[in-house]
Amino acid sequence: MPRAERERQMIEVAESVFAERGYVAASMDEIAEQVGVSKPMLYEYFHSKEGLLLACIAESRAELRKVTEESVAGALSAEDALRRGLLAFFVYIRDRRQAWSLLRHEMVLIGTSASEEIEATRRQQTDLIAKLMIGYFDTGSPLRVEAAAEFVVGACERLAIWCERHDEVTPERATDYAMDVLWSGLRERAR
């Protein structure tokens, strides 16, 4: 099997085990067994359990950025861009529950490189939202744009956690809830 394909397989299995058991309880032995490789091979690819976790988080972050950027391409207005981006995020967390679980369970990871990677994911989304805001809104100062983008990321993260407790809330419904609150505060600034 080509190295890239094997690495992807290892990351998929590790993501599943980390999400199911938690990082601390997950074992490299179990991951290796489920992948069908030796434990030393996992270490050869990722150097440590934390290295494997970092690879999982990096993969999730890259995918989240890709779906978010693709969703807003061709948006016709600020409202359309916001709605498309929100929907992409809520679809992502529904379809990639295990990846989302890794991104949101940071408390056990504080003090590790993984907590820095999770914050880098937030920063990525904040930067993307700020960039979009500059294109669609009369934004004022760069500090105000960054603050608004942080608010959107934080609010959506909390709403996503709430959605986990309410299976009946579809990504479309979550998007509507977020738009009700967020768009009312941003509408006046739209160009």
Side-chain angles (χ1 to χ4, degrees):
M1 178 178 290
R3 182 179 175 96
E5 191 176 327
R6 173 68 73 194
E7 186 173 304
R8 180 72 203 123
Q9 180 186 33
M10 291 173 178
I11 289 171
E12 284 177 12
V13 169
E15 182 180 281
S16 175
V17 172
F18 288 144
E20 181 181 328
R21 303 222 186 296
Y23 172 71
V24 174
S27 79
M28 293 293 269
D29 288 320
E30 180 181 5
I31 295 167
E33 183 179 320
Q34 286 188 28
V35 174
V37 298
S38 67
K39 186 174 163 181
M41 183 178 264
L42 278 179
Y43 282 99
E44 179 183 324
Y45 277 65
F46 302 103
H47 309 292
S48 65
K49 184 166 112 174
E50 185 176 2
L52 181 53
L53 176 65
L54 293 175
C56 291
I57 293 169
E59 178 78 19
S60 297
R61 182 173 64 236
E63 186 176 344
L64 179 58
R65 179 165 187 107
K66 180 179 182 247
V67 300
T68 306
E69 284 181 330
E70 288 175 356
S71 73
V72 298
L76 303 174
S77 66
E79 183 177 12
D80 186 36
L82 181 61
R83 181 174 295 282
R84 287 177 182 214
L86 291 170
L87 182 59
F89 172 72
F90 290 115
V91 167
Y92 173 85
I93 65 161
R94 181 203 58 202
D95 292 350
R96 296 291 317 277
R97 285 185 189 256
Q98 292 174 336
W100 168 244
S101 177
L102 288 178
L103 294 175
R104 76 172 184 79
H105 284 110
E106 70 183 282
M107 291 312 291
V108 294
L109 304 173
I110 289 178
T112 68
S113 300
S115 66
E116 294 167 13
E117 288 295 315
I118 291 168
E119 186 54 33
T121 302
R122 285 188 186 105
R123 182 84 247 143
Q124 165 191 287
Q125 295 307 107
T126 299
D127 292 347
L128 178 61
I129 292 166
K131 181 177 157 187
L132 288 170
M133 286 179 153
I134 289 169
Y136 286 110
F137 295 97
D138 293 324
T139 55
S141 75
L143 201 56
R144 185 179 190 109
V145 172
E146 187 177 347
E150 289 283 353
F151 179 82
V152 171
V153 169
C156 290
E157 189 174 320
R158 289 304 309 166
L159 185 58
I161 292 168
W162 176 82
C163 286
E164 290 179 338
R165 297 190 310 268
H166 298 280
D167 287 336
E168 71 275 14
V169 178
T170 64
E172 293 77 13
R173 194 167 166 193
T175 299
D176 287 341
Y177 291 162
M179 286 295 293
D180 286 347
V181 174
L182 297 172
W183 184 245
S184 65
L186 294 171
R187 177 182 355 208
E188 299 302 316
R189 297 182 176 280
R191 291 183 182 147

